[in-house]
Amino acid sequence: MPIATVNPATGETLKTFAELGPEDVERRLAAADAAFRHHRTTDFAERSRMLRHAAQLLDDDRDDIARTMTTEMGKPLAAARAEATKCAKAMRWYAGHAEALLADEVPPEAEARDAGATAARVHYRPLGVVLAVMPWNFPLWQVVRFAAPALMAGNVGLLKHASNVPQTALYLEDLFLRAGFPEGCFQTLLIGSGAVEAVLRDPRVAAATLTGSEPAGRAVAAVAGDEVKKTVLELGGSDPYVVLPSADLARAVRTAVTARVQNNGQSCIAAKRFIVHTDVYDAFAERFTALMEGLTVGDPMAGSTDVGPLATERGRADLEELVDDALRHGATALCGGRRPPGHERGWYYEPTVLAGITPEMRVHREEAFGPVATLYRVDGVDEAIALANDSPFGLSSNVWTRDEEEQRRFVRDMEAGGVFFNGMTASHPALPFGGVKRSGYGRELSGHGIREFCNVTTVWYGAEPGA
């Protein structure tokens, strides 16, 4: 795939970039290695100052970088602005919390004595150069939620971003430089996917994080495993959205639409499988379909647009194949199921609701990365949980019920990295984020995320001779 900005609203190639050659990559690896040797010795106050400066610069740049994101991957402009704001918020959160999150842990004196020590401590020390392989769907947020904690912990970053968002990737490198982070602390590598393995195998790279597809995660994990290097993987999701009779149905329906079409439906944590109790199924289906059908599809730069184009032509083709397969096997399109008329240019697809889903349909097992919802009818909590867990993925989940016993059941039995009651899944810097099963492993955000790329070091003090 060429490294280029291709406007998904028109299909027009706006700018292309040359891939870095081996000598350029080597210079950046050497710069990262040198930067780590210094950055690891800085204190939290200095790191915090630089990261807060980056947040302020991002706030100042918000409108410009939002237009760049929308141009490169097609999200509505208002959503792009919100993404930039969220990134600045996360930077400030880590700037203010990192020192406490990475504070030394001191076991009780009695436990230290029991371990034969006069004292003991646990230190969190940075690992080194972390390679980040990031996707295009949230081109700022996916990077910042890795970079902010990594830099505050004393690590340095190398970013291999998706090839269709090169201008956003270069902006991020420039942002951290302007904020005062020394040369080499955060660098963008304009390389193709075929060049990732050599970078990951380089002994100066200590660890890797990847957000993306399952095949990409498998490839990076295999190389990292061979090199015995730490990885964090956030892969796909096919999140369930369960609605039970005690739910506030009006709110559940409105939120369901947002949860499905956020980011033009291209979000790993977007609700995709809508599992609705039979007592409220008909009402939910009617209202949900009406709202989905009423969304405005169009130019993502326009303020009236609800759903813009898919980011790539291949992505739309993949979505079409899933929908067509479901329809051939007996599913019903309550709305959508086609390219919207009047949008011959660009990679648009209508918001779609599919009912009558059965296990032989591909969409039952595969992630629909676009504005396509699948509807299921269930008779009770047991069936809802079983169906929600009947997926190779386990990223997050949404459950609408006001019954406390039902809530306890879902907390206990849901196979997912998160359970969100009476609302939609969202990421926040204070809460850990990640999944189970084929959705990956490890956690981003919160204290769990900042410690992922730390050397958890036991320090043991014995008695002085003659003491």
Side-chain angles (χ1 to χ4, degrees):
M1 182 178 182
I3 300 174
T5 297
V6 181
N7 187 343
T10 64
E12 179 186 5
T13 299
L14 302 177
K15 194 171 185 179
T16 59
F17 296 80
E19 185 172 343
L20 295 179
E23 291 183 356
D24 293 318
V25 173
E26 167 57 30
R27 279 194 290 271
R28 284 163 172 75
L29 282 165
D33 186 52
F36 173 63
R37 296 179 191 282
H38 165 72
H39 188 59
R40 66 187 297 274
T41 66
T42 59
D43 59 23
F44 284 108
E46 183 176 354
R47 298 173 200 167
S48 177
R49 176 186 57 77
M50 293 185 289
L51 194 59
R52 290 183 191 277
H53 190 191
Q56 184 57 56
L57 291 171
L58 181 53
D59 281 338
D60 296 341
D61 296 342
R62 184 186 66 171
D63 288 346
D64 287 341
I65 188 56
R67 293 185 69 85
T68 298
M69 287 191 285
T70 295
T71 298
E72 291 199 306
M73 58 72 55
K75 70 173 70 225
L77 186 59
R81 291 194 188 101
E83 181 174 340
T85 299
K86 181 175 184 176
C87 290
K89 176 181 178 179
M91 289 178 181
R92 292 187 176 98
W93 192 89
Y94 271 109
H97 289 81
E99 184 171 10
L101 293 172
L102 297 180
D104 290 354
E105 296 177 12
V106 182
E109 185 177 339
E111 292 184 8
R113 288 199 305 270
D114 190 57
T118 58
R121 305 177 80 86
V122 176
H123 287 269
Y124 292 97
R125 299 186 295 160
L127 286 182
V129 180
V130 181
L131 172 65
V133 182
M134 293 287 112
W136 47 260
N137 57 335
F138 291 93
L140 271 187
W141 173 241
Q142 303 281 12
V143 178
V144 167
R145 74 186 194 191
F146 136 75
L151 290 169
M152 284 302 301
N155 295 299
V156 302
L158 289 173
L159 169 64
K160 189 284 182 227
H161 218 325
S163 295
N164 60 327
V165 290
Q167 294 187 68
T168 305
L170 291 170
Y171 167 81
L172 283 158
E173 178 179 302
D174 180 65
L175 174 68
F176 288 114
L177 274 173
R178 286 189 289 137
F181 285 94
E183 193 88 30
C185 270
F186 187 92
Q187 300 174 89
T188 287
L189 301 179
L190 291 183
I191 57 176
S193 57
V196 170
E197 179 174 349
V199 175
L200 183 51
R201 288 191 184 278
D202 191 283
R204 290 165 292 190
V205 173
T209 180
L210 178 142
T211 298
S213 69
E214 185 184 337
R218 288 178 181 274
V220 164
V223 173
D226 190 49
E227 295 290 338
V228 196
K229 293 182 179 181
K230 174 70 178 290
T231 53
V232 170
L233 303 181
E234 192 264 280
L235 308 179
S238 191
D239 288 3
Y241 189 101
V242 179
V243 182
L244 297 174
S246 67
D248 179 334
L249 193 61
R251 283 187 58 232
V253 170
R254 290 194 305 270
T255 306
V257 174
T258 304
R260 177 62 287 228
V261 302
Q262 61 173 316
N263 208 46
N264 303 339
Q266 300 164 122
S267 170
C268 295
I269 57 170
K272 300 183 176 80
R273 297 177 295 135
F274 294 82
I275 299 168
V276 185
H277 192 281
T278 189
D279 290 354
V280 292
Y281 177 90
D282 291 337
F284 180 92
E286 180 181 357
R287 299 179 195 180
F288 180 57
T289 301
L291 290 178
M292 289 283 282
E293 198 168 22
L295 294 170
T296 299
V297 178
D299 180 1
M301 292 290 185
S304 60
T305 293
D306 299 309
V307 180
L310 298 187
T312 67
E313 189 172 17
R314 178 68 257 174
R316 182 176 66 176
D318 290 343
L319 192 68
E320 288 176 323
E321 289 173 9
L322 281 181
V323 173
D324 291 346
D325 172 80
L327 295 176
R328 282 196 307 271
H329 285 88
T332 301
L334 302 183
C335 69
R338 61 175 185 167
R339 301 180 184 185
H343 291 283
E344 286 70 29
R345 299 177 68 205
W347 303 311
Y348 293 92
Y349 197 77
E350 287 187 344
T352 299
V353 179
L354 299 177
I357 305 300
T358 56
E360 66 267 21
M361 299 172 187
R362 287 176 53 199
V363 75
H364 180 73
R365 307 295 296 174
E366 299 178 30
E367 179 179 20
F369 217 58
V372 173
T374 55
L375 271 179
Y376 297 83
R377 184 194 296 264
V378 294
D379 290 327
V381 172
D382 290 341
E383 188 180 358
I385 292 172
L387 183 55
N389 289 338
D390 184 26
S391 170
F393 301 108
L395 192 53
S396 190
S397 59
N398 313 259
V399 181
W400 286 76
T401 175
R402 289 181 280 198
D403 184 298
E404 292 183 359
E405 179 55 35
E406 289 176 346
Q407 291 177 355
R408 284 190 287 270
R409 284 288 311 281
F410 280 95
V411 171
R412 185 190 72 185
D413 296 338
M414 193 69 87
E415 297 171 358
V419 185
F420 285 67
F421 289 108
N422 303 317
M424 61 179 273
T425 298
S427 54
H428 185 280
L431 300 174
F433 180 85
V436 295
K437 300 194 287 189
R438 293 188 180 179
S439 289
Y441 52 75
R443 291 295 180 267
E444 297 176 293
L445 303 176
S446 76
H448 297 277
I450 197 171
R451 296 185 196 108
E452 286 281 8
F453 296 115
C454 287
N455 175 1
V456 184
T457 309
T458 297
V459 181
W460 186 93
Y461 297 93
E464 292 290 336

